[in-house]
Amino acid sequence: MTEATPIVLPNMAARRVAGIARAIVRTALFALIIVWSAFPILYIVVSSFKQQKEIFKYPPDIIFTPTFEHYAALATKWTGFFPTMGNSLIVAVGATILACVASILSGFVYSRYANRFLAGSVLYLIAIRLLPPIVVTLPLFPVVDALKLSDTHLVLIILYATFWVSLCTMIMKTFIDKIPRTLDEAAVVDGATTMQTLVRVIMPLALQGIAACAIFVFVFAWNEYLFALIFTTQHAKTAPLIISEVMDAVSGTNWGVLFAGVTVQLLPVTLLVMLAQRFLIAGLTAGSVKG
Amino acid sequence: MRRLNPAAILMLAPTHLLLFLVIALPSIYVFWLSLNESTYGSDLTFVGFNNYVTVLTSPYFWRAALNTLIVVNAVVYIELLIAIGMAALFLGGVRYPKIMFAIVLMPYAISEVVGVLVWKIMLNTGSGVLARTIEALGFGMFNWSVSPPLALSVVTLISIWHHLPFTFLLIYAGMLAIPKSLYEASRIDGASRWQEFWRITLPLTVPAILISLIFRFVFAFRLFSEVWLLTAGGPARLTEVLAVYLYQSGFKYGEFGTASATGWLMVLGSLGVASVYLWAMHRRMVSGND
């Protein structure tokens, strides 16, 4: 604006009222966001510490004497639970390691090497993520069976890692791109091999990206349902699968035990996600915006 | 930049072998499967496009396609609107940001199974804490298990709850990247906060909005667990979505041919949706560069 604006004395009182109203609305909206995000989860966690008869009381008690009986009953009343938690842990750790190793290697190549084939295959990495994964279950099902891989940890590890390698490769490429090339050139001058350069120079500087990839894959593998449903029946069954089975069959006095089991399943990963938010946000922006 | 050498190709091998063997090759093979008739333990019999005719004349398929279309659009656009509102709220300043982000991210950490479990219990007709609150407020019985539209609304709600953290973070990151100098300039010009949002924040967030739309359409299209665990497609297959239809025909009825045909139709649908937004993005990039 170039013309002189007339000076109006601001109505201080009206402004203050408007400011206070704004602050109240904002606080209310933040409160709503907290309730929306946390209430369903806290509802399960809190219910797992309630006595059976208190769980479905309406209106629910906010203050009550906590009981640990459902946790004590987990091992005896729900014998399948802890073995499936073990399976979930094996599968999630395995998939995380496989996806991270593969994408650190390929992310390094995509960042440091130039080739026409390489440039073209970036598009392929992005495009392949558009395919709905359920489609590949149909041809894989008989192959997995023939290879005697059905109901093993390995099949889930390979599947889960594959669903994430393309995104993780893009994340690793973005993080490695930020490391100055002069550092790896210096390492080569000092006589380091490509592998030594990657492990000693690149990886320590790309830890944030590795952490982001690891969290994405771990959370996904820990929680996945559809592929566990199709490819496991007994030995490699994961925790989400047994929770879904018990959820449909549960009755009477077992709700508390189910809630205790669900709490054990969700708490470690929820805490991981809450504590590692920095890496998640960095990884999301690196992977999605660039990829 | 180094030239590609055998050592580098070896380093690419794990990623590309996984993608080729687990996704690329099977999705091509699915197309061959879709041209054949087969079931458990039987050989393939070539039937041309018969499976596509079967699928495209099945009322269950069209029901599933319609449900998918409605739920996916509802999920993606409602989620986007909430995410934009939330991001604008956070952009205006947030106290205890670390704690707030940690809380907002919580649903992301939850398994779809647990998400369905808790919402199912809270919305359980007659006993759930939310269902009873809805009844106490005088809205009548909240009986979603016999009403397909209500059941699909619950599916939409659960899906939004689950994925909002993802969309919110993408949009918020886009808003954070807007140069502060633009806001300072608009303050000097006397723009109101409302004008700032419409004239600066929203237009400059469009690239982030397009990216999150692509992501969310592609991922929402895969919707399976929420429906399968909540209603298993019932009552009378009225709440099926495409992935559930595929799962039923492949793994329940053992009709791999029609399931594969459904799979290819899903691939085409997914690519179709993504290409609309990719095209919009491309156009923006082209017009932004001249």
Side-chain angles (χ1 to χ4, degrees), chain A residues 187-198:
Chain A
V188 173
V189 170
D190 287 347
T193 63
T194 308
M195 225 25 167
Q196 283 169 333
T197 313
L198 177 58

Side-chain angles (χ1 to χ4, degrees), chain A residues 167 171 175 208 212 216 278-288:
Chain A
L167 180 65
I171 293 176
F175 277 93
Q208 217 190 14
F216 281 128
R278 189 161 67 91
F279 302 113
L280 267 170
I281 295 168
L284 251 185
T285 35
S288 342

Side-chain angles (χ1 to χ4, degrees), chain A residues 18 39 58 62 64 74 116 123 138 148 158-159 163 167 170 173 179 182 201-202 219 231-232 245 255 265:
Chain A
F39 180 78
Y58 185 85
I62 292 167
F64 60 96
L74 254 183
R116 241 188 323 167
L123 203 66
L138 297 159
K148 302 252 179 290
I158 291 174
L159 285 169
F163 297 149
L167 180 65
M170 300 316 290
K173 178 190 180 305
I179 302 169
T182 45
V201 181
I202 302 291
V219 172
F231 289 102
T232 70
E245 288 171 8
W255 281 105
Q265 193 271 343

